[in-house]
Amino acid sequence: MPAEGGRTDTGPQRIPTGGKRTDTGAQRIPAGGGRSDTGPQRIPTGTGTQRAVRRGDNGPQRVPAAGTKPRAAKKLDTAAKPTETGHGHGHGPAAPASRRVRLLLIWLLAPLALATVAGMIVLYPWGKPSPTSVVPQGTPVHADVTATNTGPCLAQGQVQVGDQTDPNAKPCLTVELTMTDGPAGGKPLRLTVPIEPSTPRFTAGDAVVVAYNGGNAADPASFQLVDFQRGTPLLVLAALFAVAVLVLGRWQGLAALVALGLSFVVIALFVLPAILAGENPLVVAIAGAGAIMFIALYLTHGLSARTSAAVLGTLVSLALIGVLSAIFSAASSLTGLDDSTSTLIGSLGHGIDARGLLLAGVVIGALGVLDDVTVTQTSAVWELRRANPDLTWQELYRSGLRIGRDHVGSAVNTLVMAYAGAALPVLLYSSISGVGLGALLGSEEIAQEIVRTLAGSVGIVAAVPVTTVLAALIASREPAGSLTTKAVPAHP
């Protein structure tokens, strides 16, 4: 029988040399200072920096002296603090970046953002009158077609005598209209339109647009039939697009729609006025694309380190596209004077940098595809870093680059098909010109599309390694604790 105040052991004990007992579990100390052991104890798993200890005894224990109050063991609460690295059933948003990563991104992006804002302020045509076309275009008014008739081309007031017509004369379409607005609203109008291969085919019931030149509203010569009304179907299609984005994307879809609207605002209120005022189109496009990029990416994907890495990759790639386009458009002696640009210059009444306008179109056209590539790459790198915080930036880069290779092919194909679709009439016209393939590819219209497509494609290809290495360098500097979100603890 042990002495008073001695230990009472009821379970198997391992006694090390020297008579001291080695225990690791939290023990219950009976009153009176005696200690009672009931066998191996189960140690609850700790969290954070606590290391889980396996069941058993692995260290010497201090036994309180007789009559002293034992120290209470610390309570380990595993339910209140879920493990950070363990598997859970909850998946929250990405954790915010650490302070040092935020400071790094601020130092990198703040000068670029300030340069974009300063460029927009300097390039905007403050106080300058809005340019107008020197070629009379007429005021658009609306009308409804009530009847059409094909016959000889007769001037206003002429009538046909007999049924003999010139077999070589081209027929005309006589259109009966009812004006729905404008100075002749509610009044009938008859117009004659020569039937050419490029003439639209108007039929009864069509809603059309008529150009009014400001003359006598009762004189049909003051009006010219120019186009169809397309407002309603376009609004319906836009509504379907918005509903599809909202149903799938929900709040992020709403943010994407707002960003899209603001992008059009930048183009309409900054890019177009600045170019029309005579500023360098390429510089204007770079400033406008930078503003669109900051607005669209941060508004759609949130203010985070991931998005900031995508912004950096997009900026570098846009600069590369601009440089390549400028070099090879000059080397190819591209003038940028296609039909639409020539019409614009004629309407302005003064010259414009047609080659710069071509380059501006390349930069703005490639922006949308670049956003997609850079966001995908940064997300891939961050997920790799979260899955394995021990990866170095070189390992993150190599793994992210393997993912990016699969994305490059589809992204480049998207850009090429977009430009080919836009240039399809030019391609068809060139194919029937009867010249050889070399002369066809070297023509102004086709060469412009080749430079536009290849320069944009090179920028997209370069965006993958550029964005991946930037994301890897930034993500590797994130502390492991800030990479994972607090997950719901696994079920017992």
Side-chain angles (χ1 to χ4, degrees), residues 63-410:
V63 180
T68 62
K69 185 176 180 180
R71 181 181 299 174
K74 292 184 179 180
K75 185 178 179 180
L76 300 178
D77 188 1
T78 59
K81 296 181 179 180
T83 59
E84 294 181 357
T85 58
H87 173 73
H89 296 280
H91 302 278
S98 62
R99 183 175 181 273
R100 65 175 180 177
V101 171
R102 288 198 303 269
L103 290 176
L104 173 64
L105 293 173
I106 289 173
W107 278 104
L108 290 174
L109 288 174
L112 298 174
L114 291 175
T116 299
V117 174
M120 295 180 68
I121 294 174
V122 172
L123 295 171
Y124 187 79
W126 302 100
K128 296 182 180 179
S130 299
T132 57
S133 175
V134 297
V135 178
Q137 302 292 331
T139 303
V141 294
H142 295 164
D144 293 329
V145 177
T146 56
T148 60
N149 182 37
T150 302
C153 297
L154 300 176
Q156 185 68 25
Q158 286 184 333
V159 294
Q160 181 179 0
V161 179
D163 57 357
Q164 295 182 355
T165 59
D166 184 359
N168 296 323
K170 294 182 178 180
C172 285
L173 181 67
T174 302
V175 182
E176 303 285 344
L177 302 170
T178 299
M179 308 299 292
T180 57
D181 61 9
K187 296 180 180 180
L189 181 68
R190 175 182 292 179
L191 297 177
T192 301
V193 181
I195 298 179
E196 301 284 350
S198 59
T199 302
R201 298 297 184 260
F202 298 101
T203 58
D206 288 339
V208 296
V209 178
V210 180
Y212 171 58
N213 62 14
N216 184 6
D219 184 4
S222 300
F223 299 89
Q224 182 181 1
L225 188 59
V226 292
D227 210 345
F228 293 95
Q229 296 182 34
R230 301 183 179 90
T232 300
L234 292 180
L235 287 176
V236 172
L237 181 59
L240 290 176
F241 166 73
V243 169
V245 172
L246 291 174
V247 168
L248 182 63
R250 298 185 180 180
W251 287 111
Q252 189 171 10
L254 178 61
L257 290 176
V258 174
L260 179 62
L262 293 177
S263 299
F264 279 111
V265 168
V266 172
I267 293 175
L269 299 184
F270 168 70
V271 175
L272 299 183
I275 293 177
L276 291 175
E279 299 293 343
N280 187 295
L282 180 57
V283 178
V284 172
I286 292 175
I292 291 172
M293 177 196 59
F294 278 108
I295 293 172
L297 288 180
Y298 281 122
L299 187 58
T300 304
H301 302 285
L303 192 65
S304 64
R306 286 186 185 184
T307 309
S308 299
V311 168
L312 286 171
T314 305
L315 280 172
V316 174
S317 302
L318 278 179
L320 177 61
I321 290 174
V323 170
L324 287 176
S325 301
I327 292 174
F328 285 96
S329 62
S332 303
S333 300
L334 294 180
T335 62
L337 294 173
D338 53 13
D339 292 338
S340 58
T341 305
S342 299
T343 302
L344 171 64
I345 294 175
S347 300
L348 283 175
H350 61 79
I352 193 173
D353 186 359
R355 183 183 292 172
L357 195 60
L358 168 66
L359 300 179
V362 174
V363 171
I364 295 178
L367 180 60
V369 183
L370 278 178
D371 289 351
D372 176 49
V373 172
T374 55
V375 169
T376 300
Q377 286 305 112
T378 53
S379 296
V381 170
W382 247 261
E383 290 304 320
L384 289 169
R385 169 78 167 141
R386 176 185 290 184
N388 188 356
D390 295 330
L391 292 176
T392 63
W393 75 266
Q394 295 94 335
E395 293 169 330
L396 286 173
Y397 170 73
R398 288 192 292 267
S399 299
L401 194 61
R402 285 193 292 269
I403 298 173
R405 290 193 185 103
D406 295 332
H407 195 197
V408 163
S410 59

